C-alpha cells in the first residue's frame, strides 16, 4: 500500500475533518457499541447540518432499554464507520472513523426508537495513519458535495466507461505507469479523481485534480469530461 501521489506538490486533498464528515454522509451502515451491546445498523442513521447524528433502532431494541436505564438518560457509546471503495480493488477500505460520545433518546423526534448521538471524540484512520480530531473541527466543515453520489458516479465510470478510465491514466506521470497492469477509479470528490494503478505485487494511488471544484454531481461530470479532453491530447503512454 502507498499514499496518494500527485502530479504536483500543490494539489489539494480533503482534510481529515472533511473525510470524516463525508464518510458519515456516504456510509450505509455503522456499528454501535455500548458497554454491553454491539449492534450493526444499516440505513438507519442520518447526519444533521449541525453534525448531530440521529439513529433509528428496531422497536424493542436492547439498546433502547439500555439508554432508558442510563443515569440522566445519557449512555456512553461509540460509533464505527468504514469507508469502502465502491469499485472492487485491492484493499477496498479507504478509511475508518470512530466516534465516542453520548447516546440519548431524540426528544425532538416523534419515534420512541429515535436516538441522538452527541459526538465528544473523533478518530480517523486514513492511508495507514490515525488522526485525532476536535469536535469543533468537524462542526466547522461541510461534507464533500459529491459524498452522497460518489458511489454511483464511480461505479458508472468503471462499469460503463472503462475506456475512459484508461484514457485518464494518460494524464499520470509516465514513470508511474511502468509495469501497471490495471487502472481503477478509487475516489471522486471536489478535489478531483483518484486512480489506483495496479501492478504485480502492489499498487499506487494517484490524484488527478479538477480545475474547478464541482459543487454537484452534474458539475463533476463536466470536470471529468475536461480531464478526458486533456487526456486525448496527450500522446499514448506505454506501461512497459
Amino acid at each position: 500500500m502507498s499514499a496518494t501521489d500527485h502530479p504536483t506538490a500543490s494539489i489539494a486533498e480533503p482534510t481529515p475533518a472533511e473525510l470524516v464528515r463525508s464518510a458519515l454522509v456516504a456510509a450505509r451502515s455503522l456499528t454501535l457499541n455500548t458497554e454491553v451491546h454491539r449492534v450493526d445498523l444499516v440505513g438507519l442513521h442520518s447526519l444533521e447540518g449541525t453534525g448531530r447524528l440521529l439513529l433509528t433502532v428496531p422497536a424493542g431494541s436492547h439498546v433502547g432499554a439500555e439508554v432508558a436505564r442510563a443515569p440522566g438518560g445519557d449512555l456512553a457509546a461509540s460509533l464505527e464507520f468504514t469507508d469502502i471503495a465502491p469499485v472492487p480493488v485491492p484493499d477496498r477500505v479507504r478509511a475508518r472513523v470512530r466516534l465516542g460520545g453520548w447516546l440519548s433518546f431524540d426528544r425532538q423526534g416523534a419515534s420512541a426508537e429515535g436516538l441522538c448521538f452527541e459526538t465528544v471524540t473523533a478518530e480517523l484512520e486514513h492511508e495507514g495513519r490515525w488522526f485525532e480530531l476536535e469536535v469543533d473541527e468537524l462542526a466547522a466543515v461541510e461534507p464533500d458535495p459529491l459524498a452522497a453520489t460518489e458511489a454511483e458516479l464511480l461505479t458508472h465510470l468503471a462499469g460503463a466507461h472503462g475506456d475512459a478510465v484508461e484514457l485518464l491514466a494518460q494524464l499520470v506521470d509516465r514513470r508511474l505507469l511502468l509495469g501497471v497492469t490495471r487502472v481503477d477509479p478509487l475516489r471522486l470528490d471536489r478535489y478531483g479523481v483518484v486512480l489506483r494503478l495496479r501492478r504485480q505485487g502492489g499498487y499506487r494511488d494517484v490524484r488527478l485534480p479538477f480545475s474547478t471544484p464541482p459543487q454537484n454531481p452534474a458539475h463533476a461530470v463536466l470536470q471529468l469530461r475536461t480531464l478526458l479532453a486533456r487526456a486525448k491530447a496527450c500522446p499514448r503512454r506505454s506501461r512497459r
Side-chain angles (χ1 to χ4, degrees), residues 62-211:
H62 295 299
V63 174
E66 194 177 354
V67 172
R69 293 193 302 267
D74 293 319
L75 178 69
S78 66
L79 301 180
E80 300 175 5
F81 298 82
T82 303
D83 175 20
I84 300 176
V87 175
V89 293
D91 296 333
R92 291 182 69 175
V93 175
R94 302 185 300 189
R96 289 184 173 89
V97 176
R98 295 176 183 169
L99 304 180
W102 298 98
L103 195 62
S104 61
F105 286 110
D106 178 21
R107 297 173 179 85
Q108 300 176 11
S111 171
E113 286 74 42
L115 298 177
C116 170
F117 182 82
E118 295 289 347
T119 302
V120 177
T121 64
E123 295 178 300
L124 167 73
E125 182 190 22
H126 178 60
E127 294 185 343
R129 298 175 56 194
W130 278 99
F131 302 86
E132 292 187 3
L133 295 91
E134 298 292 336
V135 176
D136 289 346
E137 291 182 72
L138 298 180
V141 301
E142 295 290 335
D144 190 273
L146 306 181
T149 56
E150 182 206 15
E152 179 183 353
L153 292 170
L154 272 190
T155 52
H156 180 74
L157 179 63
H161 301 285
D163 54 338
V165 177
E166 289 288 328
L167 188 57
L168 287 172
Q170 300 304 305
L171 296 174
V172 176
D173 187 323
R174 68 181 64 208
R175 294 170 297 181
L176 301 181
L177 293 176
L178 295 176
V180 170
T181 59
R182 183 181 176 89
V183 180
D184 296 293
L186 177 71
R187 182 183 296 278
L188 180 66
D189 52 43
R190 68 188 182 95
Y191 297 98
V193 59
V194 176
L195 303 180
R196 174 153 289 179
L197 312 179
R198 297 164 62 175
R199 54 172 55 86
Q200 189 70 26
Y203 60 82
R204 184 185 297 267
D205 299 336
V206 179
R207 179 178 289 278
L208 302 177
F210 289 142
S211 58

